[in-house]
C-alpha cells in the first residue's frame, strides 16, 4: 500500500470468510515490520518476524508492540519464525565484526525477550524453519537440516548440498532445487521446493 510513503502490512484472513483485518503495518513510530519473513502464534497471540526484530499485536486490545529489537548482532537477512508453544525461534543471517557472517537461530521467551543465539555451523541459507518433535528443521536451499534441542547438534537429514534437482527419495537421496519453505502436519515435514 502507498499512503504517505511505502507501507508494509501483515493481514489476518478469516478461513470461514468475513472481513480482512490488518494485523500489523510498518510504522516507525510504533514498530517496524519491513521485510516481514515469518509468522507464528502462541496462545492466539500473533508474532511477526522482520529485518528489525519480532513484533506482536494484542488482537483483543488492538495494541501493537515490538517484542525484540535489541539483537546482539546485526540482522543481515531475516528468515523464518516458529514456536514450540512457549518459546519463539527466529532464523537469521547475522553479522558482527567479531564473528563475521553466520546463520543463527535466536531463542526468545516473549515474557522476557532477551534473545539467545544458537550458531548453525554448515547452514548456508536462512529460508525457513519449523519446530517438530523437540527439534528445529531448516529449509537450507538444497538441504533439510535438523537442529536437535537442547544439544543444538546440526545434522543434514535430506538432500545434498548444491545438488540442484527435484528427485523423490528417502533422506539424503532426496534432491531439492531450492527448498524455501518448511512446515509440519504433526507427523511429517512438508517442504516447499521451487
Amino acid at each position: 500500500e502507498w499512503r504517505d510513503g511505502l507501507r508494509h502490512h501483515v493481514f489476518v484472513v478469516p478461513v470461514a470468510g468475513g472481513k480482512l483485518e490488518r494485523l500489523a503495518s510498518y510504522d516507525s513510530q510504533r514498530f517496524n515490520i519491513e521485510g516481514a519473513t515469518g509468522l507464528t502464534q502462541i496462545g492466539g497471540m500473533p508474532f511477526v518476524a522482520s529485518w528489525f526484530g519480532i513484533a506482536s499485536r494484542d488482537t483483543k486490545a488492538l495494541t501493537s508492540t515490538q517484542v525484540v529489537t535489541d539483537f546482539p548482532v546485526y540482522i543481515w537477512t531475516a528468515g523464518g519464525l516458529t514456536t514450540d508453544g512457549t518459546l519463539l525461534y527466529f532464523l537469521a543471517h547475522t553479522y558482527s565484526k567479531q564473528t563475521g557472517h553466520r546463520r543463527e537461530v535466536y531463542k526468545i521467551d516473549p515474557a522476557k525477550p532477551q534473545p539467545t543465539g544458537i550458531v548453525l555451523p554448515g547452514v548456508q541459507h536462512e529460508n525457513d524453519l519449523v519446530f517438530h518433535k523437540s527439534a528445529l528443521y531448516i529449509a537450507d536451499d538444497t538441504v533439510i537440516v535438523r537442529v536437535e534441542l537442547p544439544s543444538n547438534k546440526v545434522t543434514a537429514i535430506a538432500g545434498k548440498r548444491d545438488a540442484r534437482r527435484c528427485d523423490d527419495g528417502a533422506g539424503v537421496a532426496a534432491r531439492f532445487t531450492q527448498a524455501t519453505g518448511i512446515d509440519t502436519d504433526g507427523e511429517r515435514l512438508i517442504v516447499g521446493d521451487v
Side-chain angles (χ1 to χ4, degrees):
E1 173 184 328
W2 185 269
R3 187 182 320 149
D4 300 324
L6 182 63
R7 303 280 187 193
H8 299 261
H9 303 291
V10 175
F11 292 97
V12 173
V13 182
V15 175
K19 184 179 175 192
L20 180 74
E21 177 189 347
R22 184 176 297 151
L23 173 66
S25 296
Y26 166 80
D27 181 344
S28 59
Q29 300 303 312
R30 289 179 285 163
F31 64 90
N32 192 336
I33 62 159
E34 184 176 359
T37 58
L39 298 165
T40 194
Q41 59 96 22
I42 298 175
M45 176 73 78
F47 293 89
V48 181
S50 76
W51 298 335
F52 297 97
I54 311 296
S56 184
R57 179 174 181 191
D58 183 334
T59 53
K60 292 185 177 117
L62 299 178
T63 57
S64 301
T65 58
Q66 192 78 18
V67 178
V68 178
T69 55
D70 190 23
F71 284 92
V73 293
Y74 175 73
I75 303 298
W76 190 273
T77 309
L81 182 68
T82 191
T83 182
D84 63 5
T86 304
L87 301 174
L88 295 168
Y89 296 90
F90 174 52
L91 176 63
H93 172 175
T94 62
Y95 176 79
S96 75
K97 287 184 179 180
Q98 293 79 21
T99 62
H101 292 272
R102 63 186 186 186
R103 273 47 179 203
E104 296 182 82
V105 170
Y106 280 91
K107 183 170 56 173
I108 302 159
D109 181 342
K112 44 185 185 246
Q114 192 62 31
T116 303
I118 301 169
V119 178
L120 303 170
V123 174
Q124 297 179 6
H125 299 88
E126 59 285 347
N127 294 346
D128 199 8
L129 81 164
V130 66
F131 179 86
H132 179 66
K133 296 185 178 180
S134 302
L136 294 171
Y137 292 85
I138 298 172
D140 180 16
D141 207 34
T142 58
V143 180
I144 304 302
V145 175
R146 178 179 56 232
V147 181
E148 296 174 21
L149 299 174
S151 71
N152 302 335
K153 181 181 175 188
V154 178
T155 307
I157 62 160
K160 183 178 178 184
R161 178 74 56 210
D162 298 323
R164 291 192 187 280
R165 293 195 319 261
C166 187
D167 294 335
D168 290 342
V172 295
R175 295 291 179 262
F176 302 99
T177 304
Q178 185 179 12
T180 57
I182 190 165
D183 207 343
T184 180
D185 64 4
E187 290 301 316
R188 301 167 294 181
L189 296 173
I190 302 164
V191 178
D193 187 29
V194 296

